[in-house]
Amino acid sequence: NAGVTQTPKFRVLKTGQSMTLLCAQDMNHEYMYWYRQDPGMGLRLIHYSVGEGTTAKGEVPDGYNVSRLKKQNFLLGLESAAPSQTSVYFCASRTAGATERSRTEAFFGQGTRLTVV
Amino acid sequence: AQTVTQSQPEMSVQEAETVTLSCTYDTSESDYYLFWYKQPPSRQMILVIRQEAYKQQNATENRFSVNFQKAAKSFSLKISDSQLGDAAMYFCAYRTSIQGAQKLVFGQGTRLTINP
């Protein structure tokens, strides 16, 4: 019962380096989300996807790109990392299922702690 | 835009006592969902309880219950018989619906400490 898996769990980057965070879900969920968590600010939405091949901007999209080539995977890319992108990143997924109750619950990965120095 | 505010950055309670975490939100929608998530040191986000706005009855899950005041846009979480395992960061969240994506909007979080 893997659920939502994020890779890697920890990473340290130098300013200007690039990297990709991988989110994989095995629940056949249609919707996937990337959030960042910063102290005192809760979780803020970066990008989201309503299905394979589609993505959209969230609240704080600048400096990030995403892709969803396969339904089960949602990739978050940082092309040129900046210290302001030091954060904990969470991926979440949700079904567009048959019942309202099933559609309300989002499942989260365990987060990726990224430090940009 | 919807906003969620948790005005208590930190709270503490004695083990076995009751504690209430506050949350207020702002929205112009009439139908929505509200959630409380727990984040222990493991970082895992765990759904504690959910409330449908169209339901007047407050949601309850074992020792966790909410006080939902729709007119006041208030959604507090009550934890009864607090246990050491309840120590965590708690986030209040609102579910908005935009083009079917139904994104979550989170509050700033409240760190709960349980004193033995």
Side-chain angles (χ1 to χ4, degrees):
Chain A
N1 51 347
V4 180
T5 302
Q6 292 182 229
T7 308
K9 300 288 191 294
F10 303 92
R11 184 72 185 268
V12 178
L13 282 181
K14 293 184 179 179
T15 298
Q17 286 185 320
S18 63
M19 78 162 295
T20 300
L21 280 66
L22 171 63
C23 176
Q25 52 94 3
D26 61 0
M27 297 172 283
N28 201 35
H29 286 175
E30 289 76 14
Y31 302 117
M32 296 188 74
Y33 309 83
W34 275 108
Y35 291 88
R36 61 177 288 174
Q37 181 182 7
D38 301 293
M41 302 186 76
L43 280 74
R44 294 179 294 167
L45 184 65
I46 305 171
H47 286 281
Y48 64 98
S49 169
V50 301
E52 181 178 326
T54 69
T55 63
K57 294 180 179 180
E59 183 185 357
V60 288
D62 294 343
Y64 305 95
N65 57 75
V66 289
S67 65
R68 188 145 179 226
L69 300 179
K70 294 183 179 180
K71 186 177 183 179
Q72 64 268 32
N73 295 337
F74 194 29
L75 278 63
L76 177 70
L78 287 73
E79 290 187 348
S80 179
S84 61
Q85 294 178 304
T86 294
S87 187
V88 179
Y89 292 85
F90 284 94
C91 177
S93 71
R94 186 177 61 79
T95 183
T99 66
E100 181 64 12
R101 184 171 182 85
S102 69
R103 288 194 294 269
T104 59
E105 183 168 359
F107 293 82
F108 286 81
Q110 289 195 296
T112 297
R113 180 175 294 280
L114 175 66
T115 302
V116 183
V117 297
Chain B
Q2 291 83 3
T3 59
V4 177
T5 302
Q6 294 177 248
S7 58
Q8 307 155 313
E10 296 182 351
M11 292 280 286
S12 63
V13 65
Q14 290 296 126
E15 190 176 4
E17 296 293 308
T18 295
V19 64
T20 299
L21 308 184
S22 301
C23 173
T24 58
Y25 59 95
D26 187 25
T27 183
S28 58
E29 296 180 337
S30 59
D31 192 17
Y32 49 87
Y33 282 78
L34 294 163
F35 305 86
W36 279 99
Y37 280 88
K38 171 185 178 182
Q39 186 183 46
S42 67
R43 287 207 309 251
Q44 185 68 48
M45 294 290 285
I46 302 167
L47 178 63
V48 174
I49 199 165
R50 81 187 83 194
Q51 173 78 42
E52 295 93 329
Y54 62 87
K55 289 188 176 179
Q56 293 185 338
Q57 185 174 6
N58 289 324
T60 299
E61 291 285 346
N62 299 315
R63 297 183 294 106
F64 298 87
S65 62
V66 299
N67 183 5
F68 174 49
Q69 301 290 327
K70 190 173 184 179
K73 297 180 181 176
S74 171
F75 182 61
S76 60
L77 174 69
K78 185 172 81 171
I79 306 174
S80 304
D81 185 25
S82 298
Q83 300 176 0
L84 295 178
D86 295 334
M89 183 73 85
Y90 287 82
F91 290 98
C92 177
Y94 170 101
R95 190 197 79 180
T96 185
S97 178
I98 298 179
Q99 295 181 347
Q102 300 179 347
K103 299 173 286 184
L104 286 169
V105 178
F106 288 86
Q108 303 90 330
T110 297
R111 183 173 302 281
L112 178 64
T113 302
I114 311 295
N115 300 314

